[in-house]
Amino acid sequence: MRQLYHLLISPACRKVRLALAEKNIGFELVEERDWERRHEFLALNPAGEVPVLVEEDGSVISGGMPICEYLEETATEMPLIPGTAMDRAETRRLVDWFDRKFAAEVSDGLIFEKVTRRFLGASEGGGAPDMGVVRAALHNLRYHLDYISYLMEERRWLSGEEMTLADLTAAAHLSCLDYVGDVPWTQFPGAKDWYVRIKSRPAFRQILADHVPGMPPTKLYANLDF
Amino acid sequence: MRQLYHLLISPACRKVRLALAEKNIGFELVEERDWERRHEFLALNPAGEVPVLVEEDGSVISGGMPICEYLEETATEMPLIPGTAMDRAETRRLVDWFDRKFAAEVSDGLIFEKVTRRFLGASEGGGAPDMGVVRAALHNLRYHLDYISYLMEERRWLSGEEMTLADLTAAAHLSCLDYVGDVPWTQFPGAKDWYVRIKSRPAFRQILADHVPGMPPTKLYANLDF
């Protein structure tokens, strides 16, 4: 069976898992602590990062963006970048928004401080979270939740009337933050309504069952009525 | 005529300029100092970042990745992501390598310290470069030049036998560093041979004529025999 090398609290990996599930493609998860820089893993992806998808014939595709574009080209049943070239550009604009802007301003910092540091030795940057970084990320998060609420005033999904890779990307990032309890959903009802809808999809079930050893999710993480 | 809002020493903007030139698509450059957060520009791209492409009919496409994928879909004469789905995944893997990994480890830091800071006020982070950041970036740069040399042992271009968006992306980043004279080409002959070839293409001419006011390029920047 197709294998996905991944980490549980990784937006790029969650995006690929959601895309595979929406397209109804079977896969097996292989946990890869990429900071350990295992030789066999570096041979698969010289960048040394998850996600990496290994197809049944041994073909290897590395990286969240390349994997999702590959799936879109090879598994066409449930298009995740649908519509005209301009529609597709709007979906990719929002994918880019979350994978670069949201990552830089919010999720990279929060996930490193609150999750990754727990698994690193002291010499690798492990230890207690830097609360300055956490506070800045939580401050920035509000602007992004506001932007989602703003988009929801005129659209059914982030990039238009259909659910797309933009929604999966945003939900992949936000679900990581939701795991550690950092999203003030009740203050952003438009964003919350969108997240309720995406969280209720069958493709999300596997993500909601995630459990990092020694670090259980918050009570509302898997709750559809949060 | 189609307009590209851009900055001269920006890898994402240079990539789009190279892609447009390779596809022989006419365009007009509009300089946009995106850190000034002009209202009219934020209306075009709420992310407030260059590059932004405005088509003749007024359609707006924002971001290096979305613009290049859009051009690939709408201007098919000179394919920049050619081949099978696996070939395309390999091209996108390397695009991602330079736009995320190389950017984070080398070009974001170097360009901010050596170029952007000159244009910022003291309260916005302007001033002399932080030499610690510059040294770390130059150290990391060597690993990437080594990786290009390694790929060149078995391939004609970065992702295979054809020139692709991977080459344009890598060259966009490296040409920004070359402008300020930071690339030790002579120590990496494989990478240098590749850069000579891409620098000699007609599509590169406009980039080689770039001139940032008050900050002339190094002598070898526009030289094809460097």
Side-chain angles (χ1 to χ4, degrees):
Chain A
M1 189 182 253
R2 186 177 285 109
Q3 292 186 310
L4 182 70
Y5 289 78
H6 86 129
L7 282 167
L8 286 175
I9 311 295
S10 152
C13 296
R14 285 182 169 219
K15 170 161 81 164
V16 172
R17 291 164 69 193
L18 290 169
L20 286 163
E22 286 287 351
K23 286 178 177 287
N24 209 15
I25 299 171
F27 63 104
E28 189 178 280
L29 286 172
V30 182
E31 194 193 350
E32 181 67 42
R33 296 182 171 199
D34 54 9
W35 58 83
E36 293 177 357
R37 300 186 67 73
R38 242 183 359 110
H39 272 290
E40 295 81 355
F41 182 65
L42 288 171
L44 290 179
N45 180 13
E49 293 170 353
V50 290
V52 172
L53 182 68
V54 181
E55 291 278 50
E56 297 193 45
D57 67 1
S59 307
V60 180
I61 306 110
S62 298
M65 182 273 282
I67 294 173
C68 289
E69 293 281 353
Y70 169 83
L71 293 174
E72 193 63 8
E73 292 177 8
T74 53
T76 51
E77 309 88 65
M78 165 75 192
L80 295 174
I81 314 178
T84 65
M86 278 305 296
D87 294 335
R88 290 161 63 85
E90 176 64 357
T91 295
R92 291 193 180 105
R93 175 181 78 82
L94 289 159
V95 167
D96 204 39
W97 179 293
F98 286 95
D99 278 344
R100 284 198 316 114
K101 192 174 171 67
F102 188 86
E105 297 173 1
V106 186
S107 53
D108 281 356
L110 264 184
I111 293 169
F112 181 78
E113 295 301 331
K114 294 191 110 175
V115 183
T116 314
R117 268 176 183 262
R118 290 181 173 234
F119 297 96
L120 299 178
S123 66
E124 304 159 309
D130 177 335
M131 291 311 290
V133 173
V134 171
R135 270 191 299 270
L138 292 177
H139 173 80
N140 294 337
L141 171 59
R142 305 182 67 83
Y143 292 94
H144 291 275
L145 291 170
D146 206 38
Y147 188 53
I148 293 175
S149 299
Y150 163 78
L151 290 173
M152 283 305 107
E153 287 170 19
E154 302 215 335
R155 298 174 174 188
R156 179 159 165 73
W157 294 97
L158 290 182
S159 79
E161 291 312 296
E162 290 180 77
M163 197 217 59
T164 70
L165 192 62
D167 300 283
L168 301 187
T169 306
H173 283 268
L174 283 159
S175 68
C176 289
L177 274 47
D178 212 31
Y179 189 96
V180 289
D182 279 334
V183 189
W185 291 116
T186 50
Q187 295 169 49
F188 298 89
K192 180 179 174 178
D193 171 70
W194 161 82
Y195 194 61
V196 167
R197 277 187 286 129
I198 198 157
K199 192 174 173 180
S200 308
R201 294 176 77 87
F204 229 83
R205 277 183 206 143
Q206 193 194 61
I207 301 272
L208 298 182
D210 280 351
H211 190 104
V212 181
M215 194 182 171
T218 55
K219 272 187 193 154
L220 296 177
Y221 173 70
N223 199 328
L224 296 180
D225 182 25
F226 57 100
Chain B
M1 188 183 258
R2 182 179 286 109
Q3 292 186 310
L4 181 70
Y5 288 78
H6 86 128
L7 282 167
L8 287 175
I9 311 294
S10 151
C13 295
R14 286 181 168 219
K15 170 161 83 164
V16 172
R17 289 164 69 194
L18 290 169
L20 286 163
E22 286 287 350
K23 287 179 177 285
N24 209 16
I25 300 170
F27 63 103
E28 190 178 279
L29 286 173
V30 182
E31 194 193 350
E32 182 66 44
R33 298 183 170 198
D34 54 9
W35 58 83
E36 293 176 357
R37 301 187 65 74
R38 244 185 356 110
H39 271 291
E40 294 81 356
F41 182 65
L42 288 171
L44 290 179
N45 180 13
E49 293 170 353
V50 289
V52 172
L53 183 68
V54 181
E55 291 279 48
E56 297 193 45
D57 68 359
S59 306
V60 180
I61 307 110
S62 298
M65 181 275 282
I67 294 172
C68 289
E69 294 280 354
Y70 169 82
L71 293 174
E72 193 64 8
E73 292 177 7
T74 54
T76 51
E77 310 87 64
M78 166 73 191
L80 295 174
I81 313 177
T84 64
M86 277 304 296
D87 295 335
R88 290 162 63 86
E90 176 64 357
T91 294
R92 290 192 181 105
R93 176 182 77 83
L94 289 159
V95 167
D96 203 40
W97 179 292
F98 286 94
D99 279 343
R100 283 198 315 115
K101 191 173 172 66
F102 188 86
E105 296 173 1
V106 186
S107 53
D108 281 356
L110 264 183
I111 293 169
F112 180 78
E113 296 300 332
K114 294 190 110 177
V115 183
T116 314
R117 268 176 182 263
R118 290 180 172 235
F119 298 95
L120 299 179
S123 65
E124 302 159 311
D130 176 336
M131 290 312 289
V133 173
V134 170
R135 270 192 299 271
L138 292 177
H139 174 80
N140 294 338
L141 171 58
R142 304 182 68 82
Y143 292 94
H144 291 274
L145 292 171
D146 206 39
Y147 187 54
I148 293 175
S149 299
Y150 162 79
L151 290 173
M152 284 304 106
E153 288 171 18
E154 304 214 334
R155 298 174 175 188
R156 182 162 163 69
W157 295 97
L158 290 182
S159 80
E161 291 311 296
E162 291 180 74
M163 199 217 58
T164 69
L165 192 62
D167 299 284
L168 301 186
T169 307
H173 283 268
L174 283 159
S175 69
C176 289
L177 274 47
D178 212 32
Y179 189 96
V180 289
D182 278 334
V183 188
W185 291 116
T186 51
Q187 294 169 49
F188 297 88
K192 181 180 172 178
D193 171 71
W194 161 82
Y195 193 61
V196 167
R197 278 187 286 129
I198 198 156
K199 193 173 171 179
S200 307
R201 294 176 76 88
F204 230 82
R205 277 184 206 143
Q206 193 195 62
I207 299 272
L208 297 182
D210 281 352
H211 191 105
V212 181
M215 194 181 170
T218 55
K219 273 186 191 154
L220 296 176
Y221 173 69
N223 199 330
L224 294 181
D225 182 26
F226 58 100

